[in-house]
Amino acid sequence: MLDNLPVLNDERLKFKFCDKSEVLSAGRYVLDKHCDGIDLKIPYTNGDDLETQIISRFGEKPSVESYDEIIEYIKNNIELVRVTDIPLYLDSYKERNGSTTTTCFYSSKDLEESFFEKLPVCTHRISIFGPCDEFAKTTYVHEMYHALLNRNKGSLRNLLNKEFLSIFMEKVAAYDLDNSGNLFELRNLYRLLSIKENIIEKTREEFNTRNAESITKNESYIISGLLATDLFNTYLRGSNKLKKEIDLSINEVLMGNGVIEDVIDKYEVTLEKGSKIMKKQIKHFS
Protein backbone atom coordinates (compact mmCIF):
# COMPACT_ATOMS: atom_id res chain seq x y z
CA MET A 1 0.00 0.00 0.00
CA LEU A 2 2.70 2.49 0.97
CA ASP A 3 4.72 1.90 -2.22
CA ASN A 4 1.77 2.61 -4.52
CA LEU A 5 -1.08 5.09 -5.05
CA PRO A 6 1.14 8.13 -4.33
CA VAL A 7 -1.54 10.88 -4.23
CA LEU A 8 -4.75 11.02 -2.18
CA ASN A 9 -6.49 13.38 -4.62
CA ASP A 10 -6.19 11.04 -7.58
CA GLU A 11 -7.12 12.76 -10.86
CA ARG A 12 -9.19 9.76 -11.92
CA LEU A 13 -11.74 10.48 -9.19
CA LYS A 14 -14.20 12.45 -11.29
CA PHE A 15 -17.94 11.91 -10.87
CA LYS A 16 -21.10 13.13 -12.57
CA PHE A 17 -22.93 15.81 -10.57
CA CYS A 18 -26.55 15.32 -9.57
CA ASP A 19 -29.10 16.99 -7.32
CA LYS A 20 -30.16 15.98 -3.82
CA SER A 21 -33.33 14.25 -4.96
CA GLU A 22 -31.26 11.82 -7.04
CA VAL A 23 -29.13 10.94 -3.99
CA LEU A 24 -32.28 10.25 -1.97
CA SER A 25 -33.79 8.22 -4.80
CA ALA A 26 -30.62 6.14 -5.21
CA GLY A 27 -30.56 5.38 -1.49
CA ARG A 28 -34.18 4.23 -1.53
CA TYR A 29 -33.50 2.05 -4.57
CA VAL A 30 -30.58 0.22 -2.96
CA LEU A 31 -32.37 -0.34 0.35
CA ASP A 32 -35.59 -1.50 -1.30
CA LYS A 33 -33.58 -3.97 -3.37
CA HIS A 34 -31.57 -5.46 -0.51
CA CYS A 35 -33.82 -4.97 2.54
CA ASP A 36 -37.02 -6.32 1.06
CA GLY A 37 -39.50 -7.37 3.74
CA ILE A 38 -37.76 -5.98 6.85
CA ASP A 39 -38.66 -3.04 9.04
CA LEU A 40 -36.49 -0.04 8.16
CA LYS A 41 -37.76 2.27 10.90
CA ILE A 42 -35.27 3.70 13.38
CA PRO A 43 -35.69 5.99 16.42
CA TYR A 44 -35.51 9.61 15.27
CA THR A 45 -35.41 12.83 17.22
CA ASN A 46 -35.01 16.47 16.37
CA GLY A 47 -31.98 16.54 18.67
CA ASP A 48 -31.88 20.10 19.95
CA ASP A 49 -35.68 20.29 20.42
CA LEU A 50 -35.99 17.19 22.61
CA GLU A 51 -32.66 17.92 24.27
CA THR A 52 -33.88 21.30 25.52
CA GLN A 53 -37.07 19.67 26.82
CA ILE A 54 -35.02 17.13 28.78
CA ILE A 55 -32.68 19.76 30.29
CA SER A 56 -35.56 22.05 31.29
CA ARG A 57 -37.45 19.21 32.99
CA PHE A 58 -34.67 17.22 34.61
CA GLY A 59 -31.77 19.66 34.91
CA GLU A 60 -28.18 19.71 33.67
CA LYS A 61 -26.90 16.96 35.98
CA PRO A 62 -29.84 14.81 37.07
CA SER A 63 -29.49 12.22 39.81
CA VAL A 64 -29.07 8.51 39.10
CA GLU A 65 -32.55 7.96 40.60
CA SER A 66 -34.12 10.00 37.78
CA TYR A 67 -32.45 8.10 34.93
CA ASP A 68 -35.36 5.75 34.34
CA GLU A 69 -37.82 8.63 34.23
CA ILE A 70 -35.67 10.50 31.69
CA ILE A 71 -35.32 7.40 29.51
CA GLU A 72 -39.09 6.85 29.62
CA TYR A 73 -39.67 10.49 28.61
CA ILE A 74 -37.26 10.11 25.68
CA LYS A 75 -38.89 6.89 24.51
CA ASN A 76 -42.32 8.54 24.62
CA ASN A 77 -41.16 11.54 22.57
CA ILE A 78 -39.04 10.03 19.82
CA GLU A 79 -40.48 8.95 16.48
CA LEU A 80 -39.97 5.76 14.54
CA VAL A 81 -39.05 6.93 11.04
CA ARG A 82 -38.00 4.97 7.96
CA VAL A 83 -34.25 5.40 7.56
CA THR A 84 -34.74 6.82 4.03
CA ASP A 85 -36.86 9.60 5.59
CA ILE A 86 -34.23 10.69 8.13
CA PRO A 87 -33.19 14.27 7.24
CA LEU A 88 -30.23 14.36 4.85
CA TYR A 89 -27.82 17.30 5.12
CA LEU A 90 -25.42 18.09 2.28
CA ASP A 91 -22.37 20.35 2.51
CA SER A 92 -20.67 20.58 -0.87
CA TYR A 93 -17.81 22.76 0.34
CA LYS A 94 -16.17 20.27 2.68
CA GLU A 95 -13.90 17.34 1.91
CA ARG A 96 -15.64 14.09 1.05
CA ASN A 97 -16.99 12.28 4.08
CA GLY A 98 -20.21 11.23 5.73
CA SER A 99 -21.65 10.90 9.21
CA THR A 100 -24.69 9.61 11.05
CA THR A 101 -25.48 11.93 13.95
CA THR A 102 -27.13 10.62 17.09
CA THR A 103 -28.41 12.55 20.10
CA CYS A 104 -27.03 11.58 23.52
CA PHE A 105 -28.83 14.41 25.42
CA TYR A 106 -26.14 14.53 28.11
CA SER A 107 -22.35 14.43 28.22
CA SER A 108 -20.67 11.30 29.52
CA LYS A 109 -18.83 13.62 31.92
CA ASP A 110 -22.10 14.58 33.60
CA LEU A 111 -23.98 11.27 33.80
CA GLU A 112 -23.10 7.71 34.76
CA GLU A 113 -22.54 5.01 32.15
CA SER A 114 -25.76 3.26 33.23
CA PHE A 115 -27.80 6.10 31.68
CA PHE A 116 -26.25 5.61 28.24
CA GLU A 117 -26.68 1.84 28.48
CA LYS A 118 -30.45 2.38 28.74
CA LEU A 119 -30.62 5.22 26.21
CA PRO A 120 -32.01 4.20 22.79
CA VAL A 121 -29.86 5.17 19.81
CA CYS A 122 -31.70 8.25 18.52
CA THR A 123 -30.60 9.28 15.03
CA HIS A 124 -30.77 13.01 14.39
CA ARG A 125 -29.63 13.29 10.77
CA ILE A 126 -27.39 11.88 8.06
CA SER A 127 -24.75 14.19 6.61
CA ILE A 128 -22.80 13.96 3.36
CA PHE A 129 -19.82 16.22 2.80
CA GLY A 130 -18.27 16.97 -0.56
CA PRO A 131 -19.79 17.39 -4.04
CA CYS A 132 -23.33 16.22 -4.65
CA ASP A 133 -22.57 13.61 -7.29
CA GLU A 134 -22.69 9.90 -8.13
CA PHE A 135 -20.16 9.21 -5.39
CA ALA A 136 -22.41 10.84 -2.78
CA LYS A 137 -25.07 8.22 -3.51
CA THR A 138 -22.78 5.45 -2.28
CA THR A 139 -21.83 7.48 0.80
CA TYR A 140 -25.53 7.90 1.58
CA VAL A 141 -26.04 4.13 1.50
CA HIS A 142 -22.94 3.70 3.69
CA GLU A 143 -24.40 6.02 6.34
CA MET A 144 -27.92 4.57 6.23
CA TYR A 145 -26.52 1.14 7.04
CA HIS A 146 -24.75 2.66 10.05
CA ALA A 147 -28.10 4.03 11.21
CA LEU A 148 -29.83 0.68 10.71
CA LEU A 149 -27.10 -1.28 12.48
CA ASN A 150 -26.90 1.17 15.39
CA ARG A 151 -30.58 0.82 16.30
CA ASN A 152 -29.86 -2.56 17.93
CA LYS A 153 -27.19 -2.29 20.59
CA GLY A 154 -24.79 -5.20 20.68
CA SER A 155 -25.04 -5.83 16.94
CA LEU A 156 -21.29 -6.41 16.78
CA ARG A 157 -18.87 -8.03 19.22
CA ASN A 158 -15.71 -6.30 18.02
CA LEU A 159 -15.54 -2.53 17.62
CA LEU A 160 -12.95 -2.94 14.85
CA ASN A 161 -15.68 -4.46 12.64
CA LYS A 162 -18.01 -1.47 12.92
CA GLU A 163 -17.34 -0.21 9.36
CA PHE A 164 -17.54 -3.67 7.77
CA LEU A 165 -21.21 -3.64 6.74
CA SER A 166 -21.23 -0.02 5.58
CA ILE A 167 -18.11 -0.45 3.43
CA PHE A 168 -19.54 -3.66 1.96
CA MET A 169 -22.81 -1.90 1.11
CA GLU A 170 -21.09 1.13 -0.45
CA LYS A 171 -19.52 -1.37 -2.88
CA VAL A 172 -22.89 -3.02 -3.50
CA ALA A 173 -24.48 0.39 -4.11
CA ALA A 174 -21.80 1.38 -6.63
CA TYR A 175 -22.29 -1.96 -8.38
CA ASP A 176 -26.09 -1.52 -8.45
CA LEU A 177 -26.26 2.11 -9.51
CA ASP A 178 -24.04 2.10 -12.61
CA ASN A 179 -24.21 -0.71 -15.13
CA SER A 180 -21.03 0.50 -16.85
CA GLY A 181 -18.94 -0.45 -13.83
CA ASN A 182 -17.22 2.94 -13.75
CA LEU A 183 -18.74 4.04 -10.43
CA PHE A 184 -17.76 0.74 -8.82
CA GLU A 185 -14.22 1.04 -10.18
CA LEU A 186 -13.73 4.57 -8.85
CA ARG A 187 -15.42 3.76 -5.52
CA ASN A 188 -12.86 0.99 -5.04
CA LEU A 189 -10.02 3.36 -5.85
CA TYR A 190 -11.30 5.91 -3.35
CA ARG A 191 -11.60 3.29 -0.60
CA LEU A 192 -8.05 2.08 -1.25
CA LEU A 193 -6.73 5.63 -0.99
CA SER A 194 -8.73 6.15 2.21
CA ILE A 195 -7.31 2.98 3.75
CA LYS A 196 -3.80 4.10 2.83
CA GLU A 197 -4.53 7.35 4.65
CA ASN A 198 -5.80 5.33 7.65
CA ILE A 199 -2.55 3.33 7.70
CA ILE A 200 -0.47 6.51 7.63
CA GLU A 201 -2.59 8.19 10.32
CA LYS A 202 -2.49 5.10 12.54
CA THR A 203 1.30 4.93 12.23
CA ARG A 204 1.60 8.64 13.02
CA GLU A 205 -0.64 8.37 16.09
CA GLU A 206 1.30 5.36 17.40
CA PHE A 207 4.57 7.24 16.94
CA ASN A 208 3.44 10.63 18.15
CA THR A 209 0.50 11.13 20.53
CA ARG A 210 -0.55 7.51 21.12
CA ASN A 211 -4.20 8.58 20.99
CA ALA A 212 -6.02 5.29 21.56
CA GLU A 213 -9.35 6.54 20.17
CA SER A 214 -7.76 7.74 16.93
CA ILE A 215 -5.68 4.57 16.54
CA THR A 216 -8.76 2.37 17.05
CA LYS A 217 -10.79 4.43 14.59
CA ASN A 218 -8.14 4.06 11.89
CA GLU A 219 -7.75 0.35 12.63
CA SER A 220 -11.51 -0.15 12.27
CA TYR A 221 -11.44 1.28 8.72
CA ILE A 222 -8.42 -0.85 7.77
CA ILE A 223 -9.77 -4.10 9.18
CA SER A 224 -13.37 -3.50 8.10
CA GLY A 225 -12.16 -2.55 4.61
CA LEU A 226 -10.22 -5.80 4.24
CA LEU A 227 -13.15 -7.91 5.45
CA ALA A 228 -15.67 -6.05 3.28
CA THR A 229 -13.40 -6.58 0.25
CA ASP A 230 -13.41 -10.33 0.84
CA LEU A 231 -17.18 -10.58 1.34
CA PHE A 232 -17.87 -8.46 -1.74
CA ASN A 233 -15.63 -10.73 -3.81
CA THR A 234 -17.80 -13.67 -2.69
CA TYR A 235 -20.94 -11.65 -3.45
CA LEU A 236 -19.74 -10.53 -6.88
CA ARG A 237 -18.73 -14.03 -8.00
CA GLY A 238 -21.79 -15.70 -6.50
CA SER A 239 -25.04 -16.70 -8.14
CA ASN A 240 -28.21 -14.65 -7.70
CA LYS A 241 -29.24 -17.20 -5.08
CA LEU A 242 -26.03 -16.57 -3.10
CA LYS A 243 -26.44 -12.79 -3.42
CA LYS A 244 -29.94 -13.09 -2.01
CA GLU A 245 -28.67 -15.32 0.78
CA ILE A 246 -26.06 -12.73 1.79
CA ASP A 247 -28.77 -10.06 1.80
CA LEU A 248 -30.91 -12.23 4.09
CA SER A 249 -27.97 -12.89 6.45
CA ILE A 250 -27.29 -9.16 6.73
CA ASN A 251 -30.97 -8.41 7.25
CA GLU A 252 -31.10 -10.83 10.18
CA VAL A 253 -28.42 -8.72 11.86
CA LEU A 254 -30.27 -5.49 11.04
CA MET A 255 -33.41 -6.90 12.66
CA GLY A 256 -31.47 -7.72 15.83
CA ASN A 257 -31.40 -11.47 15.31
CA GLY A 258 -27.63 -11.80 15.20
CA VAL A 259 -24.33 -9.95 15.14
CA ILE A 260 -22.03 -8.82 12.35
CA GLU A 261 -19.56 -11.55 13.22
CA ASP A 262 -22.21 -14.15 12.30
CA VAL A 263 -22.00 -12.94 8.70
CA ILE A 264 -18.19 -12.87 8.80
CA ASP A 265 -18.07 -16.45 10.09
CA LYS A 266 -20.79 -17.81 7.81
CA TYR A 267 -19.04 -16.71 4.62
CA GLU A 268 -15.56 -17.46 5.97
CA VAL A 269 -14.44 -13.86 5.55
CA THR A 270 -10.81 -13.31 6.55
CA LEU A 271 -8.23 -10.54 6.63
CA GLU A 272 -5.82 -12.73 4.65
CA LYS A 273 -8.20 -13.20 1.72
CA GLY A 274 -9.16 -9.54 1.80
CA SER A 275 -5.45 -8.60 1.71
CA LYS A 276 -4.79 -10.75 -1.37
CA ILE A 277 -7.72 -9.21 -3.23
CA MET A 278 -6.75 -5.68 -2.20
CA LYS A 279 -3.17 -6.28 -3.30
CA LYS A 280 -4.44 -7.11 -6.80
CA GLN A 281 -6.63 -3.98 -6.78
CA ILE A 282 -3.66 -1.80 -5.80
CA LYS A 283 -1.58 -3.30 -8.60
CA HIS A 284 -4.44 -2.67 -11.05
CA PHE A 285 -4.85 0.99 -10.11
CA SER A 286 -1.09 1.60 -10.01
Side-chain angles (χ1 to χ4, degrees), residues 54-77:
I54 298 293
I55 300 296
S56 66
R57 284 165 174 76
F58 300 100
E60 290 182 300
K61 295 184 179 181
S63 66
V64 174
E65 290 72 27
S66 63
Y67 285 2
D68 287 342
E69 188 180 354
I70 299 171
I71 295 295
E72 191 63 25
Y73 186 90
I74 291 169
K75 288 180 177 179
N76 290 335
N77 286 277

PDB file of all heavy atoms in Angstrom, residues 54-77:
ATOM      1  N   ILE A  54     -35.584  17.976  27.731  1.00  0.00           N
ATOM      2  CA  ILE A  54     -35.016  17.129  28.780  1.00  0.00           C
ATOM      3  C   ILE A  54     -34.296  17.980  29.829  1.00  0.00           C
ATOM      4  O   ILE A  54     -34.490  17.803  31.046  1.00  0.00           O
ATOM      5  CB  ILE A  54     -34.028  16.104  28.179  1.00  0.00           C
ATOM      6  CG1 ILE A  54     -34.730  15.163  27.190  1.00  0.00           C
ATOM      7  CG2 ILE A  54     -33.333  15.319  29.283  1.00  0.00           C
ATOM      8  CD1 ILE A  54     -35.723  14.248  27.799  1.00  0.00           C
ATOM      9  N   ILE A  55     -33.460  18.915  29.363  1.00  0.00           N
ATOM     10  CA  ILE A  55     -32.682  19.758  30.286  1.00  0.00           C
ATOM     11  C   ILE A  55     -33.609  20.605  31.159  1.00  0.00           C
ATOM     12  O   ILE A  55     -33.398  20.742  32.363  1.00  0.00           O
ATOM     13  CB  ILE A  55     -31.697  20.667  29.513  1.00  0.00           C
ATOM     14  CG1 ILE A  55     -30.703  19.842  28.694  1.00  0.00           C
ATOM     15  CG2 ILE A  55     -30.957  21.590  30.484  1.00  0.00           C
ATOM     16  CD1 ILE A  55     -29.770  18.982  29.492  1.00  0.00           C
ATOM     17  N   SER A  56     -34.652  21.171  30.535  1.00  0.00           N
ATOM     18  CA  SER A  56     -35.555  22.053  31.289  1.00  0.00           C
ATOM     19  C   SER A  56     -36.366  21.288  32.327  1.00  0.00           C
ATOM     20  O   SER A  56     -36.730  21.850  33.376  1.00  0.00           O
ATOM     21  CB  SER A  56     -36.495  22.787  30.328  1.00  0.00           C
ATOM     22  OG  SER A  56     -37.375  21.871  29.687  1.00  0.00           O
ATOM     23  N   ARG A  57     -36.643  20.006  32.061  1.00  0.00           N
ATOM     24  CA  ARG A  57     -37.454  19.206  32.987  1.00  0.00           C
ATOM     25  C   ARG A  57     -36.622  18.514  34.065  1.00  0.00           C
ATOM     26  O   ARG A  57     -37.061  18.371  35.209  1.00  0.00           O
ATOM     27  CB  ARG A  57     -38.267  18.156  32.220  1.00  0.00           C
ATOM     28  CG  ARG A  57     -39.467  18.734  31.502  1.00  0.00           C
ATOM     29  CD  ARG A  57     -40.040  17.758  30.472  1.00  0.00           C
ATOM     30  NE  ARG A  57     -41.267  18.262  29.878  1.00  0.00           N
ATOM     31  CZ  ARG A  57     -41.318  19.211  28.960  1.00  0.00           C
ATOM     32  NH1 ARG A  57     -40.200  19.779  28.534  1.00  0.00           N
ATOM     33  NH2 ARG A  57     -42.485  19.611  28.460  1.00  0.00           N
ATOM     34  N   PHE A  58     -35.437  18.068  33.698  1.00  0.00           N
ATOM     35  CA  PHE A  58     -34.668  17.223  34.607  1.00  0.00           C
ATOM     36  C   PHE A  58     -33.341  17.840  35.065  1.00  0.00           C
ATOM     37  O   PHE A  58     -32.671  17.267  35.922  1.00  0.00           O
ATOM     38  CB  PHE A  58     -34.392  15.864  33.952  1.00  0.00           C
ATOM     39  CG  PHE A  58     -35.644  15.115  33.595  1.00  0.00           C
ATOM     40  CD1 PHE A  58     -36.124  15.118  32.288  1.00  0.00           C
ATOM     41  CD2 PHE A  58     -36.359  14.425  34.559  1.00  0.00           C
ATOM     42  CE1 PHE A  58     -37.283  14.435  31.956  1.00  0.00           C
ATOM     43  CE2 PHE A  58     -37.517  13.729  34.231  1.00  0.00           C
ATOM     44  CZ  PHE A  58     -37.993  13.737  32.926  1.00  0.00           C
ATOM     45  N   GLY A  59     -32.979  18.983  34.486  1.00  0.00           N
ATOM     46  CA  GLY A  59     -31.766  19.665  34.909  1.00  0.00           C
ATOM     47  C   GLY A  59     -30.527  19.236  34.142  1.00  0.00           C
ATOM     48  O   GLY A  59     -30.554  18.299  33.343  1.00  0.00           O
ATOM     49  N   GLU A  60     -29.424  19.963  34.394  1.00  0.00           N
ATOM     50  CA  GLU A  60     -28.181  19.713  33.672  1.00  0.00           C
ATOM     51  C   GLU A  60     -27.463  18.455  34.133  1.00  0.00           C
ATOM     52  O   GLU A  60     -26.806  17.784  33.348  1.00  0.00           O
ATOM     53  CB  GLU A  60     -27.246  20.910  33.834  1.00  0.00           C
ATOM     54  CG  GLU A  60     -27.694  22.151  33.106  1.00  0.00           C
ATOM     55  CD  GLU A  60     -26.703  23.284  33.265  1.00  0.00           C
ATOM     56  OE1 GLU A  60     -26.462  23.702  34.427  1.00  0.00           O
ATOM     57  OE2 GLU A  60     -26.150  23.746  32.248  1.00  0.00           O
ATOM     58  N   LYS A  61     -27.564  18.146  35.434  1.00  0.00           N
ATOM     59  CA  LYS A  61     -26.901  16.957  35.979  1.00  0.00           C
ATOM     60  C   LYS A  61     -27.872  16.204  36.880  1.00  0.00           C
ATOM     61  O   LYS A  61     -27.776  16.261  38.112  1.00  0.00           O
ATOM     62  CB  LYS A  61     -25.641  17.363  36.753  1.00  0.00           C
ATOM     63  CG  LYS A  61     -24.570  17.993  35.878  1.00  0.00           C
ATOM     64  CD  LYS A  61     -23.310  18.297  36.680  1.00  0.00           C
ATOM     65  CE  LYS A  61     -22.233  18.900  35.790  1.00  0.00           C
ATOM     66  NZ  LYS A  61     -20.981  19.193  36.540  1.00  0.00           N
ATOM     67  N   PRO A  62     -28.829  15.509  36.272  1.00  0.00           N
ATOM     68  CA  PRO A  62     -29.841  14.810  37.068  1.00  0.00           C
ATOM     69  C   PRO A  62     -29.246  13.671  37.889  1.00  0.00           C
ATOM     70  O   PRO A  62     -28.181  13.136  37.561  1.00  0.00           O
ATOM     71  CB  PRO A  62     -30.811  14.278  36.012  1.00  0.00           C
ATOM     72  CG  PRO A  62     -30.014  14.203  34.763  1.00  0.00           C
ATOM     73  CD  PRO A  62     -29.032  15.326  34.830  1.00  0.00           C
ATOM     74  N   SER A  63     -29.947  13.293  38.935  1.00  0.00           N
ATOM     75  CA  SER A  63     -29.488  12.217  39.811  1.00  0.00           C
ATOM     76  C   SER A  63     -29.688  10.859  39.149  1.00  0.00           C
ATOM     77  O   SER A  63     -30.514  10.714  38.238  1.00  0.00           O
ATOM     78  CB  SER A  63     -30.255  12.259  41.128  1.00  0.00           C
ATOM     79  OG  SER A  63     -31.622  11.972  40.900  1.00  0.00           O
ATOM     80  N   VAL A  64     -28.952   9.877  39.621  1.00  0.00           N
ATOM     81  CA  VAL A  64     -29.075   8.509  39.101  1.00  0.00           C
ATOM     82  C   VAL A  64     -30.501   8.004  39.259  1.00  0.00           C
ATOM     83  O   VAL A  64     -31.016   7.276  38.402  1.00  0.00           O
ATOM     84  CB  VAL A  64     -28.081   7.570  39.830  1.00  0.00           C
ATOM     85  CG1 VAL A  64     -28.296   6.117  39.406  1.00  0.00           C
ATOM     86  CG2 VAL A  64     -26.648   7.986  39.565  1.00  0.00           C
ATOM     87  N   GLU A  65     -31.174   8.424  40.331  1.00  0.00           N
ATOM     88  CA  GLU A  65     -32.546   7.964  40.601  1.00  0.00           C
ATOM     89  C   GLU A  65     -33.539   8.417  39.535  1.00  0.00           C
ATOM     90  O   GLU A  65     -34.600   7.816  39.371  1.00  0.00           O
ATOM     91  CB  GLU A  65     -33.011   8.474  41.983  1.00  0.00           C
ATOM     92  CG  GLU A  65     -32.325   7.823  43.170  1.00  0.00           C
ATOM     93  CD  GLU A  65     -30.878   8.250  43.333  1.00  0.00           C
ATOM     94  OE1 GLU A  65     -30.529   9.379  42.907  1.00  0.00           O
ATOM     95  OE2 GLU A  65     -30.091   7.454  43.878  1.00  0.00           O
ATOM     96  N   SER A  66     -33.198   9.485  38.807  1.00  0.00           N
ATOM     97  CA  SER A  66     -34.124  10.003  37.785  1.00  0.00           C
ATOM     98  C   SER A  66     -33.839   9.451  36.387  1.00  0.00           C
ATOM     99  O   SER A  66     -34.549   9.788  35.436  1.00  0.00           O
ATOM    100  CB  SER A  66     -34.067  11.531  37.756  1.00  0.00           C
ATOM    101  OG  SER A  66     -32.775  11.981  37.389  1.00  0.00           O
ATOM    102  N   TYR A  67     -32.823   8.616  36.258  1.00  0.00           N
ATOM    103  CA  TYR A  67     -32.447   8.104  34.934  1.00  0.00           C
ATOM    104  C   TYR A  67     -33.607   7.397  34.234  1.00  0.00           C
ATOM    105  O   TYR A  67     -33.876   7.630  33.053  1.00  0.00           O
ATOM    106  CB  TYR A  67     -31.258   7.139  35.039  1.00  0.00           C
ATOM    107  CG  TYR A  67     -29.911   7.796  35.282  1.00  0.00           C
ATOM    108  CD1 TYR A  67     -29.789   9.177  35.450  1.00  0.00           C
ATOM    109  CD2 TYR A  67     -28.750   7.026  35.356  1.00  0.00           C
ATOM    110  CE1 TYR A  67     -28.557   9.765  35.691  1.00  0.00           C
ATOM    111  CE2 TYR A  67     -27.508   7.608  35.601  1.00  0.00           C
ATOM    112  CZ  TYR A  67     -27.418   8.973  35.762  1.00  0.00           C
ATOM    113  OH  TYR A  67     -26.208   9.549  35.999  1.00  0.00           O
ATOM    114  N   ASP A  68     -34.278   6.517  34.955  1.00  0.00           N
ATOM    115  CA  ASP A  68     -35.364   5.746  34.342  1.00  0.00           C
ATOM    116  C   ASP A  68     -36.488   6.655  33.852  1.00  0.00           C
ATOM    117  O   ASP A  68     -37.065   6.422  32.790  1.00  0.00           O
ATOM    118  CB  ASP A  68     -35.919   4.723  35.334  1.00  0.00           C
ATOM    119  CG  ASP A  68     -34.964   3.550  35.553  1.00  0.00           C
ATOM    120  OD1 ASP A  68     -34.062   3.364  34.705  1.00  0.00           O
ATOM    121  OD2 ASP A  68     -35.118   2.829  36.554  1.00  0.00           O
ATOM    122  N   GLU A  69     -36.767   7.686  34.614  1.00  0.00           N
ATOM    123  CA  GLU A  69     -37.822   8.630  34.232  1.00  0.00           C
ATOM    124  C   GLU A  69     -37.422   9.400  32.970  1.00  0.00           C
ATOM    125  O   GLU A  69     -38.255   9.630  32.067  1.00  0.00           O
ATOM    126  CB  GLU A  69     -38.093   9.606  35.382  1.00  0.00           C
ATOM    127  CG  GLU A  69     -39.300  10.507  35.146  1.00  0.00           C
ATOM    128  CD  GLU A  69     -39.547  11.471  36.302  1.00  0.00           C
ATOM    129  OE1 GLU A  69     -38.848  11.350  37.334  1.00  0.00           O
ATOM    130  OE2 GLU A  69     -40.417  12.342  36.152  1.00  0.00           O
ATOM    131  N   ILE A  70     -36.162   9.785  32.876  1.00  0.00           N
ATOM    132  CA  ILE A  70     -35.672  10.500  31.685  1.00  0.00           C
ATOM    133  C   ILE A  70     -35.740   9.594  30.461  1.00  0.00           C
ATOM    134  O   ILE A  70     -36.215  10.008  29.387  1.00  0.00           O
ATOM    135  CB  ILE A  70     -34.221  10.978  31.893  1.00  0.00           C
ATOM    136  CG1 ILE A  70     -34.130  11.932  33.076  1.00  0.00           C
ATOM    137  CG2 ILE A  70     -33.698  11.665  30.626  1.00  0.00           C
ATOM    138  CD1 ILE A  70     -32.707  12.287  33.481  1.00  0.00           C
ATOM    139  N   ILE A  71     -35.291   8.355  30.623  1.00  0.00           N
ATOM    140  CA  ILE A  71     -35.320   7.397  29.508  1.00  0.00           C
ATOM    141  C   ILE A  71     -36.752   7.182  29.035  1.00  0.00           C
ATOM    142  O   ILE A  71     -37.035   7.146  27.828  1.00  0.00           O
ATOM    143  CB  ILE A  71     -34.685   6.053  29.920  1.00  0.00           C
ATOM    144  CG1 ILE A  71     -33.183   6.223  30.220  1.00  0.00           C
ATOM    145  CG2 ILE A  71     -34.902   4.998  28.832  1.00  0.00           C
ATOM    146  CD1 ILE A  71     -32.334   6.615  29.039  1.00  0.00           C
ATOM    147  N   GLU A  72     -37.673   7.052  29.969  1.00  0.00           N
ATOM    148  CA  GLU A  72     -39.086   6.855  29.621  1.00  0.00           C
ATOM    149  C   GLU A  72     -39.625   8.060  28.856  1.00  0.00           C
ATOM    150  O   GLU A  72     -40.370   7.919  27.879  1.00  0.00           O
ATOM    151  CB  GLU A  72     -39.902   6.625  30.891  1.00  0.00           C
ATOM    152  CG  GLU A  72     -41.322   6.140  30.651  1.00  0.00           C
ATOM    153  CD  GLU A  72     -41.389   4.779  29.976  1.00  0.00           C
ATOM    154  OE1 GLU A  72     -40.417   3.983  30.106  1.00  0.00           O
ATOM    155  OE2 GLU A  72     -42.395   4.518  29.299  1.00  0.00           O
ATOM    156  N   TYR A  73     -39.241   9.265  29.303  1.00  0.00           N
ATOM    157  CA  TYR A  73     -39.673  10.489  28.612  1.00  0.00           C
ATOM    158  C   TYR A  73     -39.139  10.514  27.183  1.00  0.00           C
ATOM    159  O   TYR A  73     -39.860  10.854  26.240  1.00  0.00           O
ATOM    160  CB  TYR A  73     -39.185  11.722  29.378  1.00  0.00           C
ATOM    161  CG  TYR A  73     -39.705  13.028  28.809  1.00  0.00           C
ATOM    162  CD1 TYR A  73     -40.910  13.560  29.264  1.00  0.00           C
ATOM    163  CD2 TYR A  73     -38.999  13.714  27.819  1.00  0.00           C
ATOM    164  CE1 TYR A  73     -41.398  14.744  28.736  1.00  0.00           C
ATOM    165  CE2 TYR A  73     -39.478  14.897  27.288  1.00  0.00           C
ATOM    166  CZ  TYR A  73     -40.675  15.414  27.748  1.00  0.00           C
ATOM    167  OH  TYR A  73     -41.155  16.576  27.210  1.00  0.00           O
ATOM    168  N   ILE A  74     -37.865  10.141  27.018  1.00  0.00           N
ATOM    169  CA  ILE A  74     -37.259  10.113  25.685  1.00  0.00           C
ATOM    170  C   ILE A  74     -37.981   9.113  24.793  1.00  0.00           C
ATOM    171  O   ILE A  74     -38.342   9.422  23.649  1.00  0.00           O
ATOM    172  CB  ILE A  74     -35.751   9.763  25.786  1.00  0.00           C
ATOM    173  CG1 ILE A  74     -34.980  10.913  26.437  1.00  0.00           C
ATOM    174  CG2 ILE A  74     -35.174   9.458  24.402  1.00  0.00           C
ATOM    175  CD1 ILE A  74     -33.551  10.579  26.818  1.00  0.00           C
ATOM    176  N   LYS A  75     -38.223   7.919  25.306  1.00  0.00           N
ATOM    177  CA  LYS A  75     -38.894   6.888  24.512  1.00  0.00           C
ATOM    178  C   LYS A  75     -40.294   7.316  24.085  1.00  0.00           C
ATOM    179  O   LYS A  75     -40.762   6.958  23.000  1.00  0.00           O
ATOM    180  CB  LYS A  75     -38.963   5.577  25.296  1.00  0.00           C
ATOM    181  CG  LYS A  75     -37.622   4.877  25.431  1.00  0.00           C
ATOM    182  CD  LYS A  75     -37.752   3.575  26.208  1.00  0.00           C
ATOM    183  CE  LYS A  75     -36.416   2.831  26.277  1.00  0.00           C
ATOM    184  NZ  LYS A  75     -36.530   1.575  27.059  1.00  0.00           N
ATOM    185  N   ASN A  76     -40.956   8.087  24.928  1.00  0.00           N
ATOM    186  CA  ASN A  76     -42.318   8.543  24.621  1.00  0.00           C
ATOM    187  C   ASN A  76     -42.347   9.714  23.653  1.00  0.00           C
ATOM    188  O   ASN A  76     -43.417  10.065  23.132  1.00  0.00           O
ATOM    189  CB  ASN A  76     -43.052   8.932  25.909  1.00  0.00           C
ATOM    190  CG  ASN A  76     -43.388   7.734  26.764  1.00  0.00           C
ATOM    191  OD1 ASN A  76     -43.511   6.615  26.269  1.00  0.00           O
ATOM    192  ND2 ASN A  76     -43.516   7.948  28.069  1.00  0.00           N
ATOM    193  N   ASN A  77     -41.180  10.333  23.422  1.00  0.00           N
ATOM    194  CA  ASN A  77     -41.161  11.537  22.572  1.00  0.00           C
ATOM    195  C   ASN A  77     -40.309  11.412  21.311  1.00  0.00           C
ATOM    196  O   ASN A  77     -40.172  12.380  20.565  1.00  0.00           O
ATOM    197  CB  ASN A  77     -40.685  12.736  23.393  1.00  0.00           C
ATOM    198  CG  ASN A  77     -41.741  13.232  24.350  1.00  0.00           C
ATOM    199  OD1 ASN A  77     -42.623  13.995  23.986  1.00  0.00           O
ATOM    200  ND2 ASN A  77     -41.671  12.765  25.600  1.00  0.00           N
TER     201      ASN A  77
END
